[in-house]
Amino acid sequence: AFDQPWRSDLKLWEDNPAEYWALFDQMMNDLYANEMRIVPVFMWNWTQFPAMTGENASQMIADPNSDSYQLLEEYITEFVERYKDHPALYFYELTNELNLRADLDMVGRCSDGKSPPPPSCEPMGNFTTDQMIAFTSRLADYVRSLDPNHLISSGFSIPRPAAEHLQRTPEFSPDGPDWTRDSLAEFKKNLSDVHSGMDIVSVHFYNKEGYNTRLGI
C-alpha cells in the first residue's frame, strides 16, 4: 500500500506504532518544555486514509462503515487517548481546508481525460457540502466521546465566493457548476451551516497577493 511516497504519511504508524508514538511523545514534551501548545490536524491530507485502504475519499466521507473511515477513527482513538490530558494539547482540528474540495469535480480535475490519471488520483473523490457537514459532525461527535474537555475546529478555509451556489449545483452535477457570487447573507449561511457541529469557526485566509484568487476565494 506504500509503493508511492504520497501514500506514506503514516507509514511509520502502520509499521511500528511504538516508534511512531515515541517520537510524538518527544515532540509533545518538547513543545510543553518550551511553553508551546499544539493544535493537531487529524486529516491534513484528505486522501491519506483512503489511500491506505484502497478506497477513495468519497467512500470515507459518505460511509462511516468504510475501511478508510474506520482507520481514521482508529488513529484518532490512539491519539486522543494518549494526549487528551497532556498540557501541550490546545484544541483539535479535524481537517485542512476540506471545504475547498466540496462540490468540486476533484476526480475530473485530477484526470482531464487526455492522459491516464496519475496514481495520486486513485484515492480522490467527489463529495457535496451536505456530505461534508455530516462527515465532520460525525467525526466531531466521536472526538467528544473520547475527550469532552477540548474544543474542536473544522480546519476549514474561508468559504469560496460561490460556495452556496456550488452547493446547489456542484461542479460534478449535470447542471453545474454555478459560479455565481454569493450574497453576504449566503456567505453567512454557508459559514454557519458548515460549522454546525463544531466548537470553533475556522476561516483560514492568506493575505498574499494573488493567492486567494487562485483558490477562488
Side-chain angles (χ1 to χ4, degrees):
F2 298 109
D3 55 333
Q4 298 290 336
W6 53 270
R7 288 182 171 179
S8 57
D9 292 353
L10 292 177
K11 188 177 190 308
L12 182 59
W13 175 63
E14 284 275 284
D15 292 349
N16 191 336
E19 183 179 352
Y20 176 87
W21 292 120
L23 289 171
F24 223 114
D25 288 347
Q26 181 180 343
M27 181 187 71
M28 294 291 285
N29 294 334
D30 285 346
L31 289 171
Y32 181 63
N34 288 278
E35 300 182 347
M36 299 175 68
R37 300 176 75 182
I38 186 174
V39 179
V41 184
F42 290 128
M43 207 171 71
W44 177 269
N45 178 351
W46 71 295
T47 62
Q48 174 66 83
F49 290 97
M52 294 167 70
T53 60
E55 295 180 333
N56 61 54
S58 301
Q59 292 171 280
M60 178 185 66
I61 290 170
D63 183 5
N65 295 314
S66 63
D67 290 342
S68 48
Y69 185 81
Q70 292 297 311
L71 187 62
L72 173 59
E73 280 199 349
E74 180 183 338
Y75 180 83
I76 288 174
T77 300
E78 291 186 19
F79 186 97
V80 174
E81 291 294 348
R82 194 176 190 93
Y83 299 118
K84 63 183 179 181
D85 296 320
H86 198 289
L89 179 64
Y90 193 21
F91 61 87
Y92 302 109
E93 202 156 77
L94 300 184
T95 81
N96 178 45
E97 303 180 354
L98 187 65
N99 63 317
L100 293 184
R101 276 86 176 185
D103 305 315
L104 298 184
D105 185 6
M106 299 304 300
V107 175
R109 285 166 174 249
C110 197
S111 175
D112 58 10
K114 297 178 182 178
S115 58
S120 57
C121 290
E122 294 175 10
M124 289 282 179
N126 296 333
F127 58 93
T128 66
T129 292
D130 288 341
Q131 288 174 322
M132 179 187 70
I133 292 172
F135 168 74
T136 53
S137 296
R138 182 190 316 121
L139 204 58
D141 285 343
Y142 184 71
V143 174
R144 290 189 189 98
S145 74
L146 301 171
D147 178 6
N149 299 317
H150 287 90
L151 299 178
I152 301 171
S153 166
S154 65
F156 291 164
S157 174
I158 191 170
R160 292 180 179 277
E164 277 293 292
H165 286 83
L166 280 171
Q167 183 176 359
R168 292 192 286 267
T169 54
E171 187 175 30
F172 49 80
S173 70
D175 299 323
D178 183 354
W179 295 105
T180 303
R181 194 176 187 90
D182 293 339
S183 66
L184 179 59
E186 288 169 326
F187 171 84
K188 291 179 178 179
K189 179 180 182 301
N190 182 271
L191 195 62
S192 176
D193 288 349
V194 299
H195 288 94
S196 57
M198 303 298 110
D199 302 312
I200 299 172
V201 173
S202 173
V203 286
H204 295 179
F205 185 82
Y206 303 90
N207 190 22
K208 182 178 179 180
E209 183 178 356
Y211 193 90
N212 294 299
T213 300
R214 292 198 299 275
L215 287 178
I217 296 173

